[in-house]
Amino acid sequence: MEPDISHRTDEPSSGLLWGIIAASAVVHVSSLILGQTLLVDWRWQQYPVHSSIEMIGALIALEVARQLISLEGRKDGGSYNIQIAAALIAMGILDGAHALVYAGNCFVWLHSIATFLGGCLFALVWLPRRWSLWHRHAWPLGVLGATLLVAIGSLAAPASLPALVDGDQFTTLATILNVGGGILLLAAAARLLQTWFTTRNQDDLLFCLHCSLFGAAAIMFEQSTLWDVPWWGWHVLRLMAYLVAYLFVLRSNAQAVARQLAMRRQLHDIQHMLEAAPVGILVTNQQGLVTYANARLLQDFGWAQEELVNQPVEILIPSRLRTHHVVDRTTYMRHPVPRRMAATGTLFAVNKAGEEFPVEVGLGPLLLDDGPSVLAAVTNITDRWKAEQERDAKTVALTREVDRRHQSETKLRLSNEALQQFAYAASHDMQEPLRAIAGYCELLQEQYATSVDDRGRGFIRHAVDGAHRLQRLIEDLLEYSRVNTRGKAFVSLDTNAVVQEALANLSSAITETHAEVVVHDLPPVVGDRSQLVRVFQNLLSNAIKFHGDQPPRISVAGQRTDTEVLLTVRDNGIGIPPEHRERIFVIFQRLHTRTAYPGTGMGLAICKHIIERHGGWISVREADGGGSLFAIGLPADQPPPENHQPNDQSKLAE
């Protein structure tokens, strides 16, 4: 809502200023020509007229400086308000002092030093505008104090001033001060003209004219003598410069006030929209006092409009942050630009009851007739903040749970590996003494069976059977431990060939039981051939073993999906009760006595271990029409990460 003054144009005013420049050039040239021709001996010694011209010019200079400082406060006017105001203050003070004295050395000194200092200060427009030196109050006040000291010192001690007149002639120092000041003024005029071409701001062109008139008047000093036509001519030029500056600055001020009033009306018009805004709107002045708050902000903070207005904005900020906020607010007012507060972290505000809540705040400069202000959009984000806090807490908890499970899985994997190594080593090392025990028991049975009674022969028979069962159990346990440590690399397999190999290994049992096995066309799989043969051999063997009264009828089928290969083995056997369908895959678990169905209880545990190594699953359910249906799921495309050769530990265990 701040007016853009850098590109404001006013072509009629610019044309008038160019006309004044042309008229001043005519005054300049004509006074020089008349002073050298028709009126060469003309002199008009009028102290009252001279003093009036100088004093009027001095007062106008000081008023123009005040107006420029006011325009700067409203971010209006030209591009160099403060620099030009300081120069006008210096020239106005010294010209005013010059109007108080009669002709003489002090008379010439005050005029010359006013021209030179004015040129120096005007020439500062060539310095960067971003310098902090151009503070709105500090720089003009500093120049005012220094110039007053020079003026008072000159009036109080005129005898100590350097000589600037020698009889009826000016000294070299007087010429240097006046002509040098004129050159500096013309340099400032060039800078202002250059700026005007960029900004098209009439105030820049106005002070280009002002500096040009003063520069021309200063240079005319060399071609004049006291009270002659050129001397009065450059006094007229200086007065014209002051008057033009005053009139145009008054006009700029009036335009600025009109813009401020229009903006005020606009602000009043949009106040109704601000009241309906879904976020809180707050306006504060340059001192940080609240000047407006909409209904949503009052609702969020629990204040009434009359309670909050004229309160410092820090009343809405937690007490622990207020001191820091005053510093931040002061810094922001030096360079107010639209921005969002706290790009990182969360901002907190406090309501009338002293309760803190999270907010988002966006700031923007607002120029009103009573000076710069700040418009803040304040959004209460309590609901979102709580949701984010809950989400973050859940994320942290989930991360911890994942880490805990990962650690548990790592420990379990290491424990399983150690257990497998132990089982392998234990079963491997137990085989030799077991073979010896079984061998000696068989010798006892062969050589001493006739030497003992029936009870003794029963003991020997039980010992032999127990040794053989333990041997088979250790062999199965050794095979279970070798599933990972002795597994081979996975390759693409013809599942039909794998099943046929398993059937070939069971040909005797199939013949003895008159089993009928139907193998449908099976999709290929990726895996360890010998281990998958072991799986199918075990499932087919169980189907033959647990066939019941009828001859075994077995069906092997399979199908492929996008993600897995599903293989099934269906039989017409005695079936498995639902409560035991998970237990049968655990090692050493048997559902029947050894006399009814021989075995170690390791077969299905080995099958499950093999399938899990392949990244798959195995389950059992009741088949339609009775019996059991074992289902196996294997990955369709690639092997699981466990595909590996035996590691070094397993080789050591061998």
Side-chain angles (χ1 to χ4, degrees):
M1 299 182 67
E2 181 176 341
D4 184 2
I5 64 171
S6 61
H7 291 83
R8 190 174 68 250
T9 61
D10 193 337
E11 292 303 330
S13 297
S14 300
L16 179 58
L17 288 173
W18 284 112
I20 294 172
I21 290 175
S24 64
V26 171
V27 171
H28 177 77
V29 173
S30 61
S31 61
L32 287 177
I33 293 174
L34 289 173
Q36 298 296 325
T37 56
L38 299 177
L39 300 176
V40 65
D41 295 324
W42 183 85
R43 301 289 185 274
W44 191 44
Q45 185 175 342
Q46 282 291 331
Y47 281 106
V49 175
H50 169 265
S51 296
S52 298
I53 291 174
E54 294 290 349
M55 188 58 70
I56 291 171
L59 294 175
I60 291 175
L62 295 175
E63 174 59 19
V64 171
R66 188 191 69 80
Q67 297 274 7
L68 288 174
I69 294 172
S70 175
L71 286 170
E72 180 67 17
R74 294 196 294 270
K75 303 296 182 184
D76 214 314
S79 304
Y80 306 96
N81 292 330
I82 298 303
Q83 295 94 317
I84 294 172
L88 290 173
I89 287 171
M91 297 184 73
I93 294 294
L94 294 172
D95 280 343
H98 171 68
L100 300 177
V101 298
Y102 287 101
N105 192 61
C106 183
F107 181 87
V108 178
W109 160 260
L110 287 169
H111 167 80
S112 301
I113 198 66
T115 301
F116 184 74
L117 284 178
C120 291
L121 292 170
F122 267 109
L124 294 179
V125 296
W126 282 95
L127 297 180
R129 281 180 283 177
R130 65 178 180 273
W131 284 9
S132 58
L133 177 67
W134 317 124
H135 189 272
R136 180 185 170 195
H137 300 294
W139 179 246
L141 287 176
V143 171
L144 174 63
T147 309
L148 282 173
L149 289 176
V150 172
I152 294 171
S154 300
L155 294 174
S160 61
L161 299 175
L164 297 184
V165 291
D166 183 11
D168 293 335
Q169 300 296 321
F170 298 116
T171 64
T172 303
L173 178 59
T175 302
I176 291 174
L177 290 175
N178 283 275
V179 176
I183 292 172
L184 289 171
L185 285 162
L186 292 175
R191 175 61 170 172
L192 289 162
L193 182 62
Q194 180 188 51
T195 305
W196 176 77
F197 279 120
T198 302
T199 65
R200 292 293 172 175
N201 186 331
Q202 68 166 18
D203 291 338
D204 293 332
L205 184 59
L206 159 67
F207 286 104
C208 168
L209 166 61
H210 183 86
C211 290
S212 299
L213 292 174
F214 268 98
I219 293 174
M220 284 179 68
F221 175 86
E222 180 67 20
Q223 287 83 35
S224 68
T225 58
L226 191 62
W227 311 113
D228 68 356
V229 174
W231 189 86
W232 284 105
W234 57 257
H235 277 80
V236 171
L237 286 179
R238 286 165 61 91
L239 183 59
M240 285 176 62
Y242 281 131
L243 287 172
V244 169
Y246 180 63
L247 293 175
F248 273 86
V249 168
L250 280 180
R251 186 172 181 272
S252 294
N253 244 325
Q255 291 173 341
V257 169
R259 284 192 295 273
Q260 294 296 331
L261 290 175
M263 189 182 305
R264 195 72 172 182
R265 286 192 295 270
Q266 290 174 355
L267 183 61
H268 183 269
D269 292 339
I270 68 171
Q271 204 168 23
H272 297 292
M273 291 185 289
L274 295 179
E275 287 297 321
V279 300
I281 302 295
L282 183 74
V283 178
T284 62
N285 61 18
Q286 195 169 13
Q287 289 72 42
L289 299 179
V290 176
T291 58
Y292 170 76
N294 73 344
R296 180 55 186 268
L297 186 131
L298 296 172
Q299 176 185 344
D300 288 341
F301 285 85
W303 290 91
Q305 183 80 246
E306 61 274 9
E307 294 175 326
L308 189 57
V309 169
N310 291 326
Q311 292 279 2
V313 69
E314 282 75 25
I315 200 173
L316 306 178
I317 296 170
S319 56
R320 67 182 184 280
L321 305 174
R322 288 174 183 172
T323 302
H324 191 268
H325 183 267
V326 171
V327 177
D328 289 345
R329 173 169 56 78
T330 304
T331 303
Y332 177 80
M333 290 307 297
R334 293 190 188 129
H335 303 286
V337 293
R339 70 178 180 87
R340 183 178 177 181
M341 291 182 64
T344 59
T346 303
L347 290 176
F348 284 89
V350 62
N351 61 21
K352 185 179 179 180
E355 300 167 341
E356 293 188 16
F357 59 95
V359 295
E360 282 184 348
V361 180
L363 300 178
L366 183 67
L367 194 60
L368 302 176
D369 55 353
D370 54 354
S373 297
V374 176
L375 186 146
V378 183
T379 306
N380 185 339
I381 60 169
T382 299
D383 294 339
R384 189 180 77 195
W385 183 77
K386 287 181 178 178
E388 290 175 352
Q389 293 295 106
E390 293 176 1
R391 181 199 63 195
D392 293 344
K394 290 179 180 178
T395 301
V396 170
L398 182 61
T399 301
R400 290 175 179 171
E401 179 65 19
V402 170
D403 291 341
R404 187 188 65 78
R405 292 191 179 186
H406 179 71
Q407 293 173 0
S408 298
E409 290 174 358
T410 301
K411 291 178 181 178
L412 182 61
R413 179 177 55 80
L414 295 174
S415 176
N416 286 339
E417 290 177 357
L419 182 61
Q420 288 176 4
Q421 295 297 332
F422 171 77
Y424 176 83
S427 58
H428 185 275
D429 293 343
M430 288 171 64
Q431 279 189 321
E432 185 59 31
L434 264 177
R435 279 196 293 267
I437 293 172
Y440 282 115
C441 288
E442 289 173 353
L443 287 175
L444 284 173
Q445 191 177 37
E446 292 174 1
Q447 297 182 14
Y448 297 98
T450 58
S451 302
V452 296
D453 57 12
D454 291 341
R455 187 179 181 187
R457 284 192 291 274
F459 289 158
I460 294 172
R461 186 173 62 255
H462 285 306
V464 171
D465 291 344
H468 287 165
R469 286 198 306 273
L470 187 57
Q471 248 184 328
R472 289 193 296 272
L473 187 63
I474 290 174
E475 288 173 354
D476 287 344
L477 183 62
L478 184 62
E479 183 179 0
Y480 183 87
S481 67
R482 287 175 172 174
V483 168
N484 285 328
T485 59
R486 290 292 188 88
K488 297 178 182 178
F490 289 1
V491 296
S492 181
L493 299 174
D494 180 356
T495 311
N496 295 288
V498 170
V499 173
Q500 291 302 324
E501 184 176 342
L503 290 173
N505 294 337
L506 298 171
S507 58
S508 297
I510 292 172
T511 302
E512 292 174 2
T513 59
H514 304 288
E516 179 183 329
V517 181
V518 177
V519 181
H520 299 276
D521 187 39
L522 303 175
V525 296
V526 175
D528 182 333
R529 181 184 180 91
S530 62
Q531 288 188 346
L532 292 181
V533 169
R534 178 71 170 88
V535 169
F536 279 104
Q537 184 173 324
N538 188 281
L539 295 177
L540 292 169
S541 174
N542 284 348
I544 293 171
K545 183 194 302 183
F546 300 101
H547 63 81
D549 297 334
Q550 298 296 323
R553 298 290 181 266
I554 305 168
S555 172
V556 182
Q559 63 180 12
R560 183 185 184 91
T561 67
D562 293 337
T563 57
E564 66 178 2
V565 174
L566 180 64
L567 304 170
T568 60
V569 177
R570 183 194 306 266
D571 64 50
N572 64 339
I574 61 175
I576 301 170
E579 64 270 19
H580 298 309
R581 289 172 185 169
E582 293 293 333
R583 190 163 68 88
I584 60 173
F585 294 105
V586 181
I587 58 174
F588 305 138
Q589 297 297 313
R590 298 174 50 84
L591 303 184
H592 308 279
T593 63
R594 287 187 297 273
T595 55
Y597 296 100
T600 61
M602 288 289 295
L604 290 176
I606 293 173
C607 289
K608 182 179 180 182
H609 201 29
I610 290 172
I611 295 302
E612 287 178 345
R613 181 191 174 229
H614 285 69
W617 54 269
I618 183 171
S619 66
V620 63
R621 65 176 177 84
E622 184 179 359
D624 296 337
S628 300
L629 186 144
F630 283 84
I632 298 171
L634 295 174
D637 297 319
Q638 52 188 349
E642 290 81 7
N643 181 19
H644 62 275
Q645 297 295 333
N647 57 31
D648 294 338
Q649 290 183 345
S650 65
K651 292 179 180 178
L652 290 174
E654 295 176 13

